[in-house]
Amino acid sequence: MRAFPKTMANSSIVRRTRRVAADSVMELSPLQDGGEDTEGDDDNNLEDRKSPRNRSCSLKRILASIVKEILVVLPLPVFLLLLWALVQFSVRQLLVWRSPGEFNAEIARKHLDSITAFGPRPVGSPENEILTVNYLLSQIEFIRQESNQTAHTITVDVQRPTGYRNSGYFINYYDNITNIVVKLEPRGGEGAQHAVLANCHFDSAPNSPGASDDAVSCSIMLEILRSLSNQSAPLTHAILFLFNGAEESGLQASHGFITQHPWAKLVRAFINLEASGVGGKEIVFQIGPNSPWLVKAYALAAVHPFASVVGQDIFQSGAIPSITDFRVFTEFGNISGIDMAFFENGYLYHTKFDTPDRILTESIQRAGDNILAVIKHLATSNELSASVQYQHDSMVYFDLLGVYLVAYPARTGTIINCIVAVVTFIYLINRMFLPNGGRYWKSFLYIPFVTVGGLIIAAGIIAGIINLTGRAMFWYNYFYAAVFLYGSASVTVLQLIVFLEKNWCCGPHHKVSHFVLAELYFDVSLMLWSLALVYLTVKGWCSAYVPLMMVVFPLSTKLFCCHSFTQCGSTVKYLLGLSLPYMHITFLIWLVLESFCAILGRSVGDESLDIVMAFLITGSTLILATYLVPIFYLSKCTKEILFLCVSVFVAMGVLVLCGTFFPFSSDPASPRPKRIFLEHTTRTIHDLTGQVVTKNSGVWITSMDYTGMDHVTPHIPEINDSIRVDCRSTAQDCSFSCLQFAITKQWYLPAPEVHPKHALNFTLLDRHETPWGTTNLTFEVLGPSQLFLHLKTKNGTQLKNWSFTSGDGHSGERNVSIYRGLSSSAWHFWLEMKVNETNSEDGIISIAVASQYVHGDDQNTDMLKDLMQRFPDWSFPSHSVSTRHFFVF
C-alpha cells in the first residue's frame, strides 16, 4: 500500500471539504422562483388547472410528492425500531444452548440451590459461618479427591482474620470472620511463585437469600475449580479461589485476606465476581488500574465478551453509590484485576426475591464459559509473572453487541481523537467562509442554546408537576411510560423548534431552503460532538471513544457518500452511515437506563429522583436526535409530526397524573418492591454513675426511596407524617441506619421494650492515669455479631490513641462498626485521652453502643411480626432488633 505524504493527505482533505461545502451551498442556496419550495402553482390560472391534462399532471405531482415524503420520513422510524430490536436481541440472547463443555452449568446450579437453601447468610450467623462453610469445604474436598492429582495439587486453608479498615467517617472493624482459600497449582517443584486470584463472597444481605449476590458466583467458582483440577495439562501458575464470608459488612473478608494471608503475596492479578442485579449477562465494568495486558487477556480469552470502559468511567466517578472488593485488592494489595457483575433486574437486589429460580441456566453457563476461559488464559500466560512491567497505560475497550471486543491503548486513542477533532474543525471553519457565512454562524451559535435550554426547562417543569401531584417514581414500575412521557416531550420541543425555524427562515421574506436548515443542524450536531470529544480527551476519560464514533461516521458519510440532503435517496444512505455508532450508543443508553432506574428506586435522600430520571431520558433523546433532526427539516409534514408528538405527550401526561402507573408491583414474574427497613429498638440513657435516666422503645421505620410512607399510610394509618422525625436535627434519637445510609428522615412508632436473649453488656473494666498525663479507659463488650460505637469527646478532651487506629489528637466524633464471626467471648477495647482538667465535671467522653440482631430468634419480636403482616404485598420490609445505650464517662 502506498503511503502519501502528510501534506498531500491534509490538502486532499481540505479540497474535498471545500468541494462538498461548495456543492452544498450551490444546491442549498436560497431557492429562486421555480425552485423546489416556490409556490409555482400560484401563477397558473384557473382554466389551466381545470384541464384534464393538467389535472393528470397535478395528480402525478401529488403522488410523487407523497412518495418522496414517504422516502424521507419512513426510514427514520424503521431505523430506530431496528436499532432497538437489535439491542434488545443482543441483551436478551445469552447464548445458544449447547451440551456442556469444560464448564457444566447444571452442576453449578446444584451448588446454587444448596447454598441458597440455607436462607439469608449475614455475617456472624450460623447459616453463614457454619452451614455454608461446611458445605463449601465438603464440595472442595470432593473435588480434590476426584481431581487429576498427577498434574495438580489442591490445598485448602480456612482463615479467621481480625482487623479493621479506616474508611474515613467509619472505622470498620472485624473479628474472627471466615475466608476459605483454595490453591490449585501444578504438581512438582517448590510450588508456584505467581498466582491469579478468583474472588466471590458467600455471605448475603440480611433477609435476602442472595442468589445473585453472590451465591451464584461461588457456585461458578466451585465448578471452575472442578473443571481445571480434572484437566491433564498442568498449569503454569497457581490459581487461588477465595470464598470470602464478609463482603456485605464492608468488604472485610477481602481486606483480611489481602493484608494478612501468606498466599496473598503470590497474587499478580485477580478476577472479582459481583452482582448489582439478578441474572442476565455479566458485564466487565472495571479493568486495571493501568493494565492493558489484562484487557488484552480478556479480549483474547472471553468466549462471550461483554465489557465497556464507559461503565468503568461512570463507576469510578462515584455516580453509582457502591464499591466492591476490587477496590480492596487494588488499594491494599497494589494488584490489578477484572471486576465483573450481574446487573440486570436490579429491582430485586438485596431483597427476598433474589432467588435461584430467577437466574437462568444459560446465564450461569455464559458466565462460567467466560470466567473459566479468562482464568485459564491468565494462569498459563507469561505476563502474569511480570505483571508490574505491563502496568503502564489505560486501555479503551468496548464490545460490539457481545460479538467482538474492540481494545486499543488510551494513548493511541488520544492521538486519533486529536486528529479527528482537527479534521472536523477544518470542515466547520470552511463552512464559515462560504457565501452567507455570517448568517450561517449566527444561526450556528444560537441553535444549541435554544435546543438544550428548551429541553431542560421542559423536563424540569414536567418532573416538578409530577412531584407536586404525588405521582413520583411512576417510572420505577413502568419505565417505558417514562420513556414515552419525557421522550415525547423532548421530541415535541425539538419539532417545535423545527416548525418555528422553517416558518421563519423559509417564509416569503427569507426564502431559505429547508435543505439549508438540515445542513445547518447537521453541522451544529457535529460541533457539539467534537467539543465532547475534546473535553473527554483532555479529562483523560477513555469513554471519549463514544463521541469519536459520533464524529467519524457521520462526517465520513457526509463527505464520501451523501454530499447533501438534496440527493435522491440521501435519507437512506445517511441513516446507513449512522447505523454503527447509533447501534452502539443505543446499547449504552439502554445500559445506563437499566442500571440507574433500579438504583434510583432504592436511593434515599431529599433530592427529587423524578427530575434525575427526566434529565436522563431527555438527555438520551437529545443524544439520539442530534443527527436525526435534519430529517425533520426535510419533511413537509412538520405540523402533522408536531401534532402526533403533542398527542402522545398529552395522553401520557393524563395517564400519569391520573395515577394509572403505580410505582410498585407484587407481580411474581416481575416484582418491583418498595424497600422498607424496620428496626425495633430500646434506647437507654445512663448518667455519669451508670444509672438509667431514660428508657424508651419503638420501631424505627425507614423508607429506602423518595416516596416516603405516602403509599403505605392507607394500609397502616398509624404510620403517617405525624410520627416523622428529622434525623438531621436529632441524629442521636434516630436509628443507626441514619449513620450508615445518610438517611435524613424516619418514622417512629412507639412499641414495647425488646428483650433479646443475647443482651448487650457494656462494662468499664479499668480507668487510670498514665505517667505521661493521659487518661486510659478499658471496656468490655458482650453482645451479638454486629455492634456500633459512636464516640464523642467533651469539654476539650482529645482522643490521643485507641484500639483501632492512631488517635493523633483527634477531638470530635468517631464511629466504629464491629462485625464478628462465630464467637461468644467478650470483646475488649481501650481509649487513651488527653483531658482538660478545668472543665471535666460532666464527663470527658460520651459513648453510644448499639447492638443489632439480624439473624436468629433475636431478630424478631411479636410487634415486628404483626406489623410486617400489615404491609402491602408490593413492599419488602426488611427488619432487625436493636438495643442502644448512651453512656458518659
Side-chain angles (χ1 to χ4, degrees):
M1 180 183 295
R2 288 185 63 189
F4 291 95
K6 182 178 180 182
T7 54
M8 293 180 62
N10 288 340
S11 62
S12 175
I13 292 173
V14 172
R15 287 197 301 271
R16 178 175 289 276
T17 303
R18 288 185 178 273
R19 184 174 67 251
V20 172
D23 291 344
S24 299
V25 171
M26 292 178 63
E27 293 171 338
L28 309 180
S29 60
L31 298 177
Q32 307 298 322
D33 290 341
E36 188 174 345
D37 277 7
T38 58
E39 301 294 334
D41 289 340
D42 293 340
D43 296 333
N44 298 327
N45 56 50
L46 187 59
E47 299 299 329
D48 293 335
R49 294 183 183 182
K50 289 183 177 179
S51 66
R53 181 177 179 181
N54 284 338
R55 282 200 302 269
S56 176
C57 292
S58 298
L59 181 60
K60 290 181 180 179
R61 285 198 299 269
I62 292 172
L63 292 176
S65 178
I66 292 174
V67 171
K68 185 176 181 180
E69 184 68 18
I70 291 174
L71 291 176
V72 170
V73 178
L74 184 60
L76 179 57
V78 173
F79 174 73
L80 292 175
L81 288 174
L82 287 176
L83 280 181
W84 191 251
L86 187 61
V87 169
Q88 290 299 307
F89 175 79
S90 172
V91 168
R92 307 302 172 193
Q93 182 68 19
L94 296 172
L95 52 85
V96 178
W97 180 249
R98 56 178 175 76
S99 58
E102 295 182 349
F103 182 91
N104 192 325
E106 296 293 345
I107 298 177
R109 173 165 288 284
K110 292 179 181 178
H111 294 313
L112 174 62
D113 292 337
S114 298
I115 293 174
T116 54
F118 299 135
R121 303 172 302 282
V123 175
S125 66
E127 292 81 5
N128 188 68
E129 310 297 336
I130 298 177
L131 299 179
T132 306
V133 169
N134 288 344
Y135 175 80
L136 292 173
L137 290 175
S138 66
Q139 294 303 309
I140 293 168
E141 177 59 23
F142 177 78
I143 291 171
R144 189 188 66 81
Q145 293 178 359
E146 297 294 321
S147 66
N148 185 343
Q149 299 187 18
T150 60
H152 315 283
T153 61
I154 296 178
T155 310
V156 184
D157 182 60
V158 179
Q159 182 195 22
R160 306 278 186 181
T162 295
Y164 68 88
R165 283 185 60 231
N166 188 346
S167 55
Y169 191 63
F170 265 96
I171 302 295
N172 197 328
Y173 182 85
Y174 54 90
D175 177 43
N176 202 37
I177 58 176
T178 305
N179 276 328
I180 299 176
V181 194
V182 183
K183 180 164 68 171
L184 177 68
E185 60 183 335
R187 179 173 291 279
E190 299 178 357
Q193 301 300 310
H194 311 283
V196 56
L197 172 70
N199 173 69
C200 70
H201 67 90
F202 56 84
D203 65 313
S204 73
N207 306 292
S208 173
S212 275
D213 187 24
D214 194 29
V216 67
S217 297
C218 294
S219 304
I220 290 172
M221 279 176 46
L222 282 174
E223 173 57 13
I224 290 175
L225 174 62
R226 182 202 65 80
S227 175
L228 290 174
S229 65
N230 280 285
Q231 294 184 4
S232 57
L235 301 169
T236 306
H237 310 291
I239 302 175
L240 300 181
F241 295 86
L242 173 59
F243 301 87
N244 86 63
E247 191 270 351
E248 300 292 354
S249 54
L251 317 180
Q252 296 170 330
S254 58
H255 181 269
F257 168 80
I258 204 66
T259 59
Q260 301 177 35
H261 201 284
W263 291 349
K265 299 177 181 179
L266 304 177
V267 178
R268 302 293 179 264
F270 68 88
I271 297 178
N272 183 53
L273 311 181
E274 256 296 350
S276 61
V278 178
K281 291 184 175 182
E282 83 294 343
I283 183 172
V284 172
F285 62 97
Q286 288 189 101
I287 301 181
N290 299 327
S291 298
W293 70 280
L294 279 178
V295 178
K296 294 176 183 177
Y298 180 82
L300 290 172
V303 184
H304 319 285
F306 191 43
S308 176
V309 75
V310 174
Q312 177 172 303
D313 285 343
I314 293 175
F315 193 84
Q316 294 182 357
S317 70
I320 297 178
S322 179
I323 58 174
T324 69
D325 287 326
F326 179 95
R327 179 172 176 178
V328 173
F329 294 137
T330 56
E331 181 177 343
F332 295 95
N334 195 28
I335 51 178
S336 301
I338 301 173
D339 207 1
M340 59 178 64
F342 296 98
F343 74 100
E344 288 186 37
N345 209 2
Y347 308 94
L348 312 183
Y349 173 71
H350 282 188
T351 70
K352 64 181 179 181
F353 301 105
D354 185 7
T355 52
D357 58 289
R358 299 185 185 277
I359 304 175
L360 299 178
T361 302
E362 290 88 343
S363 183
I364 299 175
Q365 183 68 50
R366 173 197 162 84
D369 288 342
N370 277 341
I371 299 166
L372 172 60
V374 175
I375 289 178
K376 189 175 179 181
H377 178 88
L378 292 175
T380 56
S381 67
N382 296 325
E383 291 87 353
L384 188 72
S385 57
S387 58
V388 177
Q389 300 178 13
Y390 298 96
Q391 295 181 4
H392 53 77
D393 193 12
S394 299
M395 288 284 285
V396 178
Y397 59 90
F398 57 93
D399 72 280
L400 296 176
L401 296 181
V403 177
Y404 179 76
L405 189 74
V406 179
Y408 56 88
R411 188 176 304 172
T412 302
T414 300
I415 297 173
I416 296 174
N417 296 347
C418 293
I419 293 174
V420 170
V422 170
V423 171
T424 305
F425 288 132
I426 290 174
Y427 168 83
L428 293 174
I429 291 172
N430 265 316
R431 306 281 287 181
M432 181 187 299
F433 295 103
L434 297 176
N436 296 323
R439 186 171 63 183
Y440 177 87
W441 278 98
K442 182 179 178 181
S443 301
F444 190 89
L445 293 176
Y446 83 80
I447 285 178
F449 293 101
V450 173
T451 303
V452 176
L455 290 174
I456 291 175
I457 293 172
I461 291 175
I462 296 169
I465 293 173
I466 289 175
N467 272 326
L468 291 175
T469 55
R471 304 305 180 191
M473 281 186 63
F474 73 95
W475 40 264
Y476 187 63
N477 189 27
Y478 294 94
F479 170 69
Y480 284 102
V483 171
F484 277 100
L485 177 67
Y486 295 115
S488 62
S490 302
V491 177
T492 298
V493 172
L494 294 171
Q495 190 65 14
L496 181 61
I497 294 173
V498 171
F499 175 76
L500 294 176
E501 286 186 338
K502 288 177 71 174
N503 279 271
W504 181 72
C505 296
C506 302
H509 299 294
H510 293 84
K511 294 287 186 178
V512 176
S513 168
H514 54 267
F515 294 114
V516 173
L517 296 178
E519 294 278 350
L520 174 62
Y521 205 97
F522 174 87
D523 292 342
V524 169
S525 301
L526 192 65
M527 179 194 70
L528 293 177
W529 281 112
S530 299
L531 292 176
L533 174 63
V534 172
Y535 176 78
L536 293 180
T537 302
V538 171
K539 295 287 289 185
W541 283 30
C542 295
S543 299
Y545 83 88
V546 177
L548 175 69
M549 294 177 66
M550 295 298 286
V551 170
V552 169
F553 284 89
L555 183 58
S556 300
T557 302
K558 194 71 169 59
L559 291 175
F560 300 105
C561 300
C562 181
H563 295 339
S564 80
F565 292 109
T566 59
Q567 296 177 348
C568 180
S570 60
T571 301
V572 176
K573 290 190 292 184
Y574 179 66
L575 292 177
L576 287 175
L578 298 178
S579 57
L580 182 59
Y582 263 72
M583 178 181 64
H584 187 68
I585 206 164
T586 303
F587 162 75
L588 291 178
I589 288 173
W590 171 86
L591 188 68
V592 170
L593 293 179
E594 171 75 17
S595 302
F596 274 89
C597 187
I599 291 173
L600 292 175
R602 58 176 188 261
S603 299
V604 295
D606 296 328
E607 296 81 10
S608 174
L609 301 179
D610 281 82
I611 291 180
V612 177
M613 180 56 66
F615 287 159
L616 281 175
I617 296 177
T618 300
S620 301
T621 305
L622 178 60
I623 288 173
L624 291 174
T626 47
Y627 289 115
L628 302 183
V629 168
I631 298 177
F632 292 158
Y633 283 102
L634 304 180
S635 172
K636 294 182 179 180
C637 301
T638 305
K639 293 181 181 179
E640 290 77 3
I641 297 174
L642 181 60
F643 177 78
L644 177 62
C645 294
V646 171
S647 301
V648 173
F649 168 68
V650 171
M652 290 305 304
V654 170
L655 291 174
V656 171
L657 295 179
C658 290
T660 306
F661 305 113
F662 189 69
F664 309 106
S665 171
S666 59
D667 180 10
S670 182
R672 298 289 187 271
K674 175 181 176 61
R675 299 162 189 262
I676 301 168
F677 186 73
L678 307 176
E679 183 180 339
H680 190 178
T681 184
T682 294
R683 187 173 68 121
T684 306
I685 299 177
H686 304 261
D687 60 17
L688 269 171
T689 64
Q691 298 299 312
V692 175
V693 176
T694 304
K695 178 180 286 189
N696 52 55
S697 300
V699 177
W700 287 104
I701 305 167
T702 306
S703 172
M704 304 303 289
D705 62 59
Y706 178 72
T707 62
M709 291 291 134
D710 294 343
H711 299 294
V712 174
T713 301
H715 299 268
I716 310 177
E718 57 266 39
I719 303 178
N720 53 62
D721 283 345
S722 65
I723 61 171
R724 178 173 160 177
V725 178
D726 188 350
C727 298
R728 289 170 295 190
S729 58
T730 57
Q732 74 167 4
D733 295 332
C734 293
S735 70
F736 264 83
S737 57
C738 285
L739 297 175
Q740 291 177 279
F741 304 109
I743 294 170
T744 60
K745 55 190 177 184
Q746 290 186 304
W747 287 257
Y748 182 75
L749 193 63
E753 183 178 348
V754 299
H755 299 283
K757 296 178 181 177
H758 301 88
L760 175 68
N761 188 0
F762 186 76
T763 307
L764 175 62
L765 294 181
D766 178 63
R767 176 171 183 164
H768 67 270
E769 306 298 324
T770 64
W772 45 89
T774 59
T775 300
N776 192 293
L777 305 179
T778 302
F779 300 93
E780 180 182 80
V781 186
L782 185 62
S785 58
Q786 295 190 19
L787 299 168
F788 298 90
L789 299 177
H790 177 74
L791 291 77
K792 184 176 182 180
T793 57
K794 303 179 62 176
N795 301 319
T797 299
Q798 291 185 335
L799 181 64
K800 302 297 291 184
N801 207 351
W802 61 342
S803 302
F804 308 104
T805 62
S806 175
D808 56 27
H810 178 83
S811 61
E813 300 184 32
R814 301 299 293 265
N815 298 284
V816 185
S817 60
I818 301 124
Y819 290 84
R820 309 179 70 199
L822 278 182
S823 176
S824 58
S825 60
W827 173 69
H828 300 84
F829 73 95
W830 52 267
L831 309 173
E832 183 180 350
M833 292 169 290
K834 180 67 175 178
V835 179
N836 184 355
E837 298 292 347
T838 61
N839 192 20
S840 60
E841 293 81 6
D842 58 344
I844 59 175
I845 188 170
S846 62
I847 302 177
V849 187
S851 60
Q852 192 166 25
Y853 302 86
V854 295
H855 58 83
D857 294 337
D858 286 340
Q859 184 188 6
N860 296 286
T861 63
D862 293 337
M863 173 73 178
L864 280 178
K865 292 178 181 178
D866 294 339
L867 187 60
M868 289 176 62
Q869 290 178 354
R870 299 174 60 190
F871 277 90
D873 54 3
W874 41 259
S875 65
F876 170 61
S878 181
H879 66 286
S880 70
V881 170
S882 70
T883 61
R884 300 177 63 196
H885 291 264
F886 295 84
F887 298 93
V888 179
F889 300 95

